[in-house]
Each structure stands twice: as C-alpha cells, then as structure tokens.
Amino acid sequence: MTTREKPWHGVMVATALPLREDLSVDFDGYAAHCRRLVEQGCDGVVPNGSLGEYQTLTPEERARVVETAVAAIGGDRVMPGVAAYGAAEARRWAEQARDAGCQVVMLLPPNAYRADERAVLAHYREVAKAGLPIVAYNNPYDTKVDLVPSLLAELHAEGLIVGVKEFTGDVRRAYEIAELAPGLEVLIGSDDVVLELALAGATGWVAGYPNALPASCAALYRAAVAGDLATALPLYRTLHPLLRWDARTEFVQAIKLSMDLAGLHGGPCRQPRVSLTAEQDAVVRAATEKALAEGLR
C-alpha cells in the first residue's frame, strides 16, 4: 500500500463478493477480504461492480456491502459502483456512498438504454448532484454506449468527471484522452492491458485478478507505473493467462475459482451466472496453479 494523492489512485480492486452455498452474502468474509487486499499492497476496493454481482443484490444488501467495506478499510479507500437503470437511482446510490463516508464513486453511462451524447451528459449531470467526484466507466461492450475521448473531454470540461475506467482494451485511447482532456485521469479497466496503460500514464487500476493474487498484482502495477520492465514483464507474462479472463463473459466465475485455489473464499455465483464448463474450469485451474507454483500470491 502506498500514499495516494487522490482516493481513486493506485490498485483499486473491483471486489468479488463472497457468497455462502445458500447464496447469502458473507459480510464478515467480505470485510476480511477488503482488509486482506489492503494488507497485501492494494490501495482500496470498488464494491458493487459487475464483479461484485451488484445486479443480483437487494437494495439492503447493496447498501450493506458499501458500509461493510468502509468499516473494514475506511471510506477514503472505497470507490463504490453506483450504476443503475436510471440517473435518479444512480444518484441515490451516490448519495448512499457519500453518507457512508466514501469520497469518490464510479459510474457507468445509462446501461439499459442506448444513450446518445445528450442523454449521457444529462445522466452524469444528475449523479454529480450528489456532490462526490465521479470516475466514469467506459464499457461499450456491455452498455452499448461508448464514452469516446471527445465525449469524455466534454464531461471533464463541464466538471462532471475526474477520471475514466477505460475498458475497451484500446491503449491508443489513453493518448487521445490526454490530448483532448488534459487532467482527466485514465484508470486501467481491463486487466490484460495493465502494463500498456500503466506505461501510457494511467494513475490507477480498477482491477479484477488481485482478488486472487493481490500481492503479485500490486507488484506488477507498481513496477509498470515506475517503468521497471525488468520486474514487470516476467510478472505480466506469468499472470497474463489469468488476466485475460477479466474481459470474458465468465470473468466472475474465473476469478472466484482462482480465489478458492489460492486459499481465499470466492464461492459460488448467483444466477444468471452458472458454473464454468469443464474445459473453462481446467484452463483457469491450470493457469492459477502454475502461478501459485511459481510463488505468486
């Protein structure tokens, strides 16, 4: 763990949510997981993202997840996802995060409506009324709304966002964003381009695989942002067979399996997610066991 200038800097783990066999939330286990991540070198957590299965949670569960993380590691290390079907609901989740003690939130564009530029701007304007800094989340694969660099520049110029979790995997965007919106921070959004975007100037990593291998992933990020390729490249090569699962449909199941293999509790998933196929399970298992055998933790 390092001293950060801003509460969205560094390795912010998009936390998996431990579920019991009856699919109830293990809140004590989640608190312990948040503490463990920080102890192992990560900077904070991002609860209630897709990796945290937020779409399947009741409102009471979703609020308690944020409160649990804040109680475990402090509000300055918690950046909740506040995505919702409409801006009014997303604003309420931002207000809940604010009242729980968080200092920043992460927000998708409208995720059940193919919004145009005007609708995207209206969406972020409404949620900004909660009074917290917003990190936008660009995931056009799932939302069908692409926060292209020019639109991000407009959002930033209006003071609506301080950064963007960039998930497209197109590392060229980092340079265009820097040109069009100086001061808008890029956070790595897809695990399998962490090295490339770190070298391009990213100030954070909203990360999936540190759930299972926190110390090694934190070491990879630190080396990458420092330009220490002698350290970063060997780690990246070993981790990449796992990191690329972050951009696949079954990423939650894969990361939870790796957590279980690493001696951490990932547990099952709620529907609509179903178990990995035997072939997928074997691939994740082999890559995880190889990483563990090489001493990654």
Side-chain angles (χ1 to χ4, degrees), residues 43-286:
D43 294 284
V45 300
V46 183
N48 291 335
S50 296
L51 186 46
E53 301 177 69
Y54 80 94
Q55 303 97 330
T56 72
L57 301 180
T58 66
E60 293 78 15
E61 288 172 330
R62 185 170 176 178
R64 189 174 170 189
V65 165
V66 174
E67 293 160 0
T68 299
V70 170
I73 60 173
D76 61 327
R77 298 195 178 278
V78 181
M79 179 170 68
V82 295
Y85 288 124
E89 185 182 358
R91 176 182 171 180
R92 286 194 292 272
W93 284 120
E95 291 168 343
Q96 185 267 333
R98 177 199 65 202
D99 295 345
C102 302
Q103 298 179 8
V104 61
V105 294
M106 188 176 69
L107 176 63
L108 283 164
N111 60 5
Y113 173 70
R114 192 166 296 186
D116 61 12
E117 184 173 314
R118 293 182 308 118
V120 169
L121 287 165
H123 181 77
Y124 280 87
R125 285 171 185 148
E126 181 63 25
V127 180
K129 293 175 183 177
L132 285 182
I134 295 172
V135 170
Y137 178 7
N138 185 35
N139 183 351
Y141 307 111
D142 293 329
T143 66
K144 308 304 179 187
V145 178
D146 193 353
L147 301 179
V148 295
S150 59
L151 179 52
L152 289 170
E154 192 167 353
L155 289 164
H156 184 245
E158 198 170 318
L160 300 175
I161 61 173
V162 296
V164 58
K165 174 187 175 181
E166 174 48 52
F167 186 75
T168 63
D170 183 354
V171 298
R172 296 169 296 187
R173 290 195 179 202
Y175 301 97
E176 188 174 359
I177 291 168
E179 293 166 9
L180 296 179
L184 178 63
E185 300 190 38
V186 173
L187 278 63
I188 302 152
S190 186
D191 288 358
D192 58 354
V193 289
V194 58
L195 178 61
E196 293 82 358
L197 282 178
L199 293 173
T203 57
W205 177 17
V206 181
Y209 248 94
N211 279 284
L213 299 167
S216 297
C217 288
L220 167 61
Y221 174 79
R222 308 281 180 233
V225 295
D228 178 6
L229 295 182
T231 300
L233 272 172
L235 277 171
Y236 198 40
R237 289 192 176 104
T238 301
L239 286 167
H240 210 272
L242 292 170
L243 298 180
R244 67 181 68 124
W245 279 93
D246 185 53
R248 295 179 178 172
T249 303
E250 303 83 7
F251 73 112
V252 181
Q253 298 96 313
I255 289 171
K256 283 192 164 187
L257 173 57
S258 291
M259 290 172 68
D260 289 334
L261 293 170
L264 311 173
H265 177 61
C269 298
R270 288 181 178 177
Q271 289 182 331
R273 291 181 173 88
V274 295
S275 300
L276 296 172
T277 66
E279 180 180 0
Q280 290 168 337
D281 184 287
V283 171
V284 174
R285 192 175 295 272

Side-chain angles (χ1 to χ4, degrees), residues 1 20 87 197:
M1 187 176 65
R20 301 183 182 93
L197 282 178

